Amino acid sequence: MKSFWKPIRLALAVSLIVAHVPAAIAATPNDQLVIGTSLVQVLSLDPQQGVDAKTIEILTNTYDRLVYTDNQNGNVIAPQLAEKWDVTEDSITFHLREAKFASGNPVTAQDVVFSLVRLMKLDQASAANFKTAGYSAANIESMVSAPDDRTFRIQFPKTVTPDALLYRMSMGVASVVDSVEVQKHVNNGDYGNEWLRTNTAGSGPFTLRRWTPNDLVMLEANKDYWQGVPTLRRVIMRHVPESQAARLMLERGDIDIANALSASDIGYFQNKDGFVIDRVQTGGFYVLSMNAGRKELADPLVRKAIANSIDYAGIEKTIVGAYGRARNVPVPVDWAGAIKNPDWGFHPEEAKKMLAEAGYPNGFDLTLKVVSQAPRVDMATAIQANLAEVGIRVTIQQGNGADIVAAHRARDFDLLIPQTSAYMPTALGALDNFAYNPDNSAEAKNAGNFVWRSAWDIPEISKLRDEANAERDVARRQALVTEIQEKFIAASPAVLPMFERFEPIALSKRVIGYSGHPMGMTRVNKITKSDAQ
């Protein structure tokens, strides 16, 4: 009886959700962009703290960085607050344009210094990419300087190349904050974090008017923006986590964009009149993280058995769809320097033999934690069924973004499904999350490090990654990148890439000029909308 009623209750719940979506009175106004999305992981709007994709989308439109990656031009580094820059053997010097924050305060090089020092001193997970480049809370103040109001200089550590540093400077965590405004709100030495979690202090094309967690984000045009007044007066992000509800809202014009649809609902809009699909390649992955601190998962043979117990092709076809493609090497298959995929897949008999050899002929029990968000929940259910075939009994625990992310950072899990992005559009940029863990000790408390969270100790791979990250000779760097990938596969990774990650976005054709950014940094200040038909 229980198995009979459960799907009926689920179907009834979905029908009630759709039934209670408010009826559209009129199409969205031409001067407003309304986005239906999931805001479940938007936990803080502090640009030196928030790293979730939806948070980055908000911060991208409320803050500027010195440079940005131009997704309209091959993701090359382009000027933003910096008009130009000079690269020497030991530093990059940026020359700033005249710009103002939303407060009216001028943007100065001192604000850039404050922002990067703040990033490292807060010492949040968001500082991970700068840490892997060699910056730290201890050395950052000696590495950055402002010779004058329009000149900012940052020194190279020995572990980073100029292009890798420039790509880091384009990330959301390198957003320039209004130091004068933020310092008015410092509380007990928190660098203004408590205030910036729910307020903005940027120079971007929009300002934050309202944020209600798990409900609504409203941005208003910054009429004094240095690049010109945005074409849109307002941007609204509505929390619509139920895919069927979002699909219905987009179809009848209640929203202009839906970016948290299930694979099947994305397919619904494929080739449908009045709509387009923007499938954005992120360079990141959906990952099965295994806690190598657990006895069973510390064994590489067990991890290899798990890697050979998953029907990647079947899950891609039936669940992941437009969200990804099967790939177990942490470099997208069509990126320069990517190696061939290993022959991993759903091989239950081979996996059972591996488990028996490892001392687990009868399998064992694990818990799999996952954010309640498409497509990861269905992915978890499929993996649960796959692993049951080889005797690994999995219990799924769903949770909100705060709960699951906290568990991941605290190493409080057996299995967990996170997602990654590449900080730069190169093989080395994609690898960075997977190939570096300089100190695996619990005392390191390096929660910002993706591999550390899985307690996977990889000193040899980490050393190779350091060499590659500092190598300026392109051919030598590529040889190191190839070696890293090969050793990663040979080690039966505890951070198992399963699917190269795409962000499929369904848009009304009324929206003109939208182009999704691979790192989630999609700006909308130049978007226009046509009249409703």
Side-chain angles (χ1 to χ4, degrees):
M1 184 66 71
K2 181 178 180 181
S3 61
F4 176 76
W5 280 105
K6 185 175 181 180
I8 292 180
R9 289 198 300 268
L10 178 60
L12 178 60
V14 170
S15 66
L16 288 173
I17 289 166
V18 174
H20 282 82
V21 174
I25 298 173
T28 58
N30 284 8
D31 63 352
Q32 297 186 32
L33 184 71
V34 184
I35 303 171
T37 189
S38 171
L39 299 174
V40 68
Q41 287 190 268
V42 179
L43 309 176
S44 168
L45 297 183
D46 186 331
Q48 275 86 54
Q49 182 178 46
V51 294
D52 168 70
K54 301 304 185 253
T55 305
I56 292 297
E57 190 172 349
I58 298 166
L59 299 177
T60 296
N61 286 285
T62 50
Y63 289 86
D64 291 317
R65 288 137 294 280
L66 291 177
V67 294
Y68 76 102
T69 50
D70 185 357
N71 61 312
Q72 300 290 316
N73 188 26
N75 292 315
V76 299
I77 293 292
Q80 200 163 81
L81 283 175
E83 291 183 304
K84 59 181 180 178
W85 52 92
D86 307 314
V87 179
T88 66
E89 283 296 314
D90 61 359
S91 67
I92 303 179
T93 299
F94 296 89
H95 305 280
L96 277 62
R97 70 177 74 250
E98 289 191 10
K100 290 184 178 181
F101 291 107
S103 66
N105 295 326
V107 178
T108 69
Q110 288 82 4
D111 293 303
V112 185
V113 169
F114 176 84
S115 300
L116 289 179
V117 169
R118 182 177 186 274
L119 171 66
M120 303 313 299
K121 294 288 187 179
L122 280 174
D123 200 21
Q124 302 275 324
S126 50
N129 282 96
F130 279 82
K131 285 183 176 181
T132 61
Y135 298 99
S136 67
N139 73 13
I140 187 64
E141 289 173 294
S142 67
M143 304 294 284
V144 295
S145 60
D148 58 54
D149 284 354
R150 289 281 167 270
T151 309
F152 168 76
R153 183 172 296 126
I154 182 166
Q155 301 292 127
F156 288 124
K158 293 180 180 180
T159 55
V160 67
T161 58
D163 59 339
L165 180 54
L166 283 168
Y167 276 108
R168 283 173 168 85
M169 297 298 291
S170 75
M171 297 176 67
V173 297
S175 296
V176 180
V177 303
D178 184 342
S179 62
V180 174
E181 187 65 27
V182 172
Q183 288 180 99
K184 295 177 183 176
H185 302 279
V186 172
N187 184 17
N188 294 323
D190 71 344
Y191 293 93
N193 173 248
E194 181 180 352
W195 182 75
L196 268 183
R197 288 174 65 90
T198 55
N199 294 274
T200 55
S203 60
F206 295 89
T207 60
L208 178 68
R209 177 174 175 180
R210 175 184 166 193
W211 171 37
T212 306
N214 291 333
D215 180 23
L216 183 80
V217 172
M218 184 181 296
L219 307 179
E220 295 283 353
N222 177 2
K223 296 180 180 179
D224 296 319
Y225 185 50
W226 59 266
Q227 204 175 29
V229 181
T231 54
L232 297 167
R233 179 173 64 89
R234 179 176 292 162
V235 177
I236 297 171
M237 300 174 71
R238 295 180 60 179
H239 181 55
V240 191
E242 297 82 13
S243 181
Q244 290 188 31
R247 186 193 76 188
L248 182 61
M249 293 169 72
L250 180 61
E251 188 173 22
R252 66 190 188 187
D254 294 346
I255 59 178
D256 304 303
I257 296 174
N259 62 16
L261 295 176
S262 67
S264 60
D265 285 328
I266 284 287
Y268 176 81
F269 289 104
Q270 195 76 44
N271 301 318
K272 186 175 179 61
D273 288 345
F275 302 92
V276 293
I277 303 296
D278 185 14
R279 190 171 186 243
V280 184
Q281 185 178 26
T282 69
F285 291 82
Y286 290 108
V287 180
L288 182 63
S289 288
M290 310 179 212
N291 191 340
R294 303 288 194 258
K295 177 185 175 183
E296 298 88 351
L297 298 174
D299 189 333
L301 194 56
V302 169
R303 298 197 301 264
K304 188 174 182 179
I306 290 174
N308 279 278
S309 301
I310 299 174
D311 184 6
Y312 306 103
I315 295 173
E316 176 187 335
K317 182 178 180 180
T318 60
I319 294 171
V320 178
Y323 277 92
R325 59 185 173 194
R327 175 75 170 158
N328 301 123
V329 179
V331 178
V333 65
D334 54 354
W335 283 19
I339 69 170
K340 183 180 177 181
N341 209 64
D343 184 27
W344 293 347
F346 188 52
H347 309 303
E349 295 308 315
E350 292 180 27
K352 288 178 183 177
K353 291 177 182 177
M354 293 177 197
L355 289 175
E357 184 180 344
Y360 303 102
N362 300 316
F364 46 84
D365 299 318
L366 294 173
T367 297
L368 170 57
K369 295 186 177 183
V370 63
V371 174
S372 302
Q373 194 174 61
R376 283 186 271 183
V377 171
D378 290 339
M379 199 184 295
T381 302
I383 291 170
Q384 178 188 47
N386 286 167
L387 294 182
E389 292 288 321
V390 302
I392 299 176
R393 298 167 293 278
V394 174
T395 300
I396 296 174
Q397 287 185 3
Q398 295 185 43
N400 61 33
D403 294 338
I404 301 302
V405 170
H408 194 199
R409 292 175 178 174
R411 294 177 165 182
D412 180 23
F413 66 96
D414 298 332
L415 304 174
L416 192 144
I417 302 180
Q419 64 183 39
T420 69
S421 296
Y423 79 89
M424 64 177 178
T426 66
L428 189 57
L431 275 171
D432 209 62
N433 275 313
F434 297 87
Y436 193 59
N437 185 12
D439 184 352
N440 192 52
S441 67
E443 292 75 23
K445 296 181 179 179
N446 194 5
N449 184 284
F450 191 70
V451 178
W452 182 90
R453 297 179 191 182
S454 286
W456 187 37
D457 199 12
I458 50 171
E460 185 180 3
I461 295 175
S462 296
K463 182 180 177 182
L464 286 170
R465 177 262 174 207
D466 272 344
E467 290 181 33
N469 209 45
E471 181 58 62
R472 297 198 180 193
D473 181 84
V474 175
R476 173 59 184 154
R477 188 193 311 157
Q478 184 53 61
L480 289 167
V481 165
T482 298
E483 188 176 359
I484 291 169
Q485 293 173 80
E486 291 170 346
K487 289 188 179 298
F488 176 87
I489 294 300
S492 300
V495 283
L496 172 66
M498 297 186 294
F499 305 96
E500 184 188 338
R501 188 170 68 85
F502 291 77
E503 286 287 348
I505 301 166
L507 305 92
S508 164
K509 281 190 174 179
R510 292 184 62 205
V511 179
I512 301 168
Y514 183 95
S515 179
H517 192 282
M519 293 193 298
M521 301 181 71
T522 306
R523 280 214 156 172
V524 298
N525 54 305
K526 295 184 179 180
I527 284 176
T528 58
K529 287 172 62 178
S530 62
D531 292 335
Q533 300 297 315

